[in-house]
Amino acid sequence: MLRLITADRVLPGPEGECVEDGAVLVDGTRVVAVGPCREVLALAPEGTGRQHFDGATVLPGLVNAHVHLAFDETSADAAALVETVRTASDESLRHAMGRRALAALRSGVTTLRDCGDRGGLAARVRDDITAGAARGPRIVATGPPLTVPGGHCWFLGAAAGSDRGIRDQVRRNAELGVDMIKVMASGGQITPHSPPSWTSQFDRDQLRVLVAEAERLGLPVAAHAHGTEAIRDAVAAGARTIEHCSWMTGQRSVRRDPATAAEMAARGVRACAASSRNWRTIIEKLPPEVAEQVYGRLPWMAERGVDLITGTDAGLPGSPFDDLAGALELYAHLGFAPGRILEMATVSSAAALGLGEVTGRLAAGRDADVLVVHGDPRADLGALADVCLVLARGAVVD
Ligand SMILES: [Zn+2]
C-alpha cells in the first residue's frame, strides 16, 4: 500500500539536512522516496493516500539504545524491582515487556535495544512483533547480561566465573536467539552486595575470551562500564558499544582517559550514556563540580570524536519507556545543537546497533520508520513529545 506523508519540513536524519515543504512516500514497509513535495508527488501514482501535517516535521523514528523491558519502572526502589523480576512468571513478564515496548513505540521510538533481560524474553517479544502477533518497535535483544557470580544483575541468570563459564554463557545466549551480547564489565548500582560501579568485574583477558566467542557466533558486544579500567579493557577487548562510560575510579573520583577516548573515536566504538529524564533532578542535587564530573563526560567525549548514542536505561525506577525526548534534553542542556542530538537519536544509534542500512534515516530503501511531530524539534526538542503520527515498518501506530 502506498502512503504519502507531507509536512512543513522533512529531516532525513543527518545534522544539517532539511527538506522544506517535504514529503515521504512509503510503499508497504519501505520508504520509496524522500524530497521536496512537488517532486515526490510526481512519483506517487494516482490514488495514493496522502496525509498532510500542517506546522509539523517528519523525521526518522527514534532509537532508544538502552532499555530493560523486564524491569518495572514504577517499582518503589531497586530492591522491589529486583524482587519482581526474579519472581514473575515468564508469561506475565513477557506480557509486561510487550506492553512497555508498545509504550515506547507510541512515543516515537521505532527501534529499541534491550540491554539485559531474564531468560531471553526480549527476543521472544521481538519475535512476536516480527511475526505480526504483537505490535511494537524493532527490538535488538542482548538476553541476560553476563556478570560474575554475585555481581551486578546476577539475578538475571547469566553469571560466569571462568573462561569456560563465559564461553558457555555466550553460547547459551546465542541459543536464546539474541542479537548482541551484553557484559557487565564493571559493577553497577541496583544489586545489593555486588561490586561497586567503578570496580572491574572481568579483566581484559576474560573480556577478550567473551568477545572472541561472541564474534565466532556473529554477535557484537555491548559492555556496561562505569569504571575507567573497565572501559579501557572493554575497548581493548573489542566491545562495540560502551554503556554508561562514566570514567569512575572511586566513589567520588573520576579520571577520563584521553588515550582510550581516542581509541574509541578511531575504531568507532560508540558510547551510550544510558541517562534517563531524571537528569534535571540529579543535577540539582549534586554540587556543580560533581555534576560536571558526571555529565561533562559527554561533551568531553564528543569533542574527542567519540560517537554518542541515545539510551535511557528505561525500566529503572523513575525511567519510563515513553520519554526518550525528556532524556535527550540533557544534551541540549550540555550545549549540543538540536540537529546533532536528533542525528544521535537516529542515524548514530541505528548504526551502533548494526542497523545503519535498515533504519535511522529517511531514504529510499530504508524501512518506513517514520515520526511526525508538531513544530520543529530543531527549534525546540520538546516538540518530539508532541507526536502526530508514528509508522513502524510502514504500519500506523495508534
Ligand atoms: Zn542498563
Side-chain angles (χ1 to χ4, degrees):
M1 193 190 101
L2 286 159
R3 182 190 301 278
L4 182 68
I5 296 164
T6 59
D8 292 34
R9 68 196 68 78
V10 173
L11 304 177
E15 184 182 11
E17 287 187 19
C18 175
V19 185
E20 300 292 345
D21 193 16
V24 177
L25 182 63
V26 171
D27 187 0
T29 62
R30 297 286 178 90
V31 172
V32 289
V34 178
C37 202
R38 60 193 146 66
E39 285 176 23
V40 177
L41 215 63
L43 299 170
E46 191 121 7
T48 300
R50 178 177 176 179
Q51 272 177 294
H52 178 70
F53 295 92
D54 214 20
T57 303
V58 186
L59 66 159
L62 306 176
V63 181
N64 189 339
H66 191 131
V67 308
H68 298 276
L69 291 171
F71 293 175
D72 179 0
E73 82 278 16
T74 65
S75 305
D77 53 27
L81 180 151
V82 172
E83 182 61 17
T84 309
V85 75
R86 283 185 71 183
T87 55
S89 69
D90 278 0
E91 197 191 357
S92 73
L93 197 52
R94 184 169 168 173
H95 180 75
M97 290 167 74
R99 189 168 43 73
R100 292 169 192 144
L102 184 56
L105 179 62
R106 288 196 168 121
S107 74
V109 171
T110 52
T111 300
L112 58 79
R113 176 174 59 171
D114 187 281
C115 269
D117 66 8
R118 197 193 78 192
L121 287 174
R124 302 290 74 75
V125 176
R126 175 201 66 197
D127 295 345
D128 289 345
I129 293 166
T130 312
R135 213 139 33 91
R138 176 185 298 94
I139 293 177
V140 174
T142 70
L146 272 86
T147 189
V148 294
H152 181 47
C153 288
W154 63 267
F155 54 86
L156 294 173
S162 65
D163 287 0
R164 183 177 175 171
I166 290 168
R167 287 192 196 94
D168 287 349
Q169 188 56 51
V170 170
R171 275 198 296 274
R172 273 197 287 278
N173 279 15
E175 282 159 15
L176 293 170
V178 302
D179 305 293
M180 284 182 94
I181 297 293
K182 170 90 182 286
V183 58
M184 302 303 199
S186 78
Q189 282 159 358
I190 62 166
T191 314
H193 318 298
S194 66
S197 299
W198 56 89
T199 306
S200 291
Q201 295 202 129
F202 295 103
D203 65 26
R204 188 175 299 194
D205 289 339
Q206 289 174 309
L207 292 172
R208 285 203 166 111
V209 167
L210 182 147
V211 171
E213 188 64 11
E215 276 179 356
R216 195 179 69 75
L217 297 161
L219 300 170
V221 172
H224 157 113
H226 285 292
T228 304
E229 184 187 38
I231 296 167
R232 204 181 284 144
D233 289 340
V235 170
R240 182 195 274 183
T241 63
I242 305 296
E243 308 304 310
H244 309 291
C245 208
S246 319
W247 306 102
M248 292 172 81
T249 49
Q251 176 107 57
R252 294 237 179 278
S253 61
V254 162
R255 196 171 63 240
R256 297 176 194 148
D257 174 10
T260 301
E263 195 179 342
M264 291 172 72
R267 298 208 343 249
V269 180
R270 291 177 168 94
C272 182
S275 180
S276 80
R277 71 170 177 195
N278 295 332
W279 61 271
R280 261 195 201 88
T281 329
I282 298 170
I283 285 178
E284 277 163 18
K285 276 193 214 149
L286 293 173
E289 64 279 11
V290 179
E292 202 290 322
Q293 282 192 335
V294 175
Y295 292 107
R297 75 193 194 281
L298 301 171
W300 182 86
M301 284 192 279
E303 281 159 21
R304 277 154 189 79
V306 178
D307 210 6
L308 303 180
I309 63 171
T310 54
T312 63
D313 233 345
L316 290 187
S319 182
F321 289 84
D322 60 356
D323 197 15
L324 176 60
L328 292 182
E329 284 176 8
L330 166 66
Y331 293 91
H333 172 83
L334 293 169
F336 288 80
R340 175 83 185 278
I341 299 168
L342 294 172
E343 180 176 317
M344 284 161 46
T346 55
V347 180
S348 302
S349 294
L353 306 188
L355 297 169
E357 300 302 314
V358 177
T359 190
R361 81 174 71 203
L362 295 175
R366 299 296 211 287
D367 279 8
D369 293 332
V370 182
L371 171 61
V372 185
V373 297
H374 283 293
D376 183 350
R378 294 171 309 166
D380 171 17
L381 263 186
L384 290 177
D386 198 351
V387 174
C388 310
L389 177 77
V390 180
L391 292 188
R393 290 178 267 200
V396 177
V397 179
D398 43 47

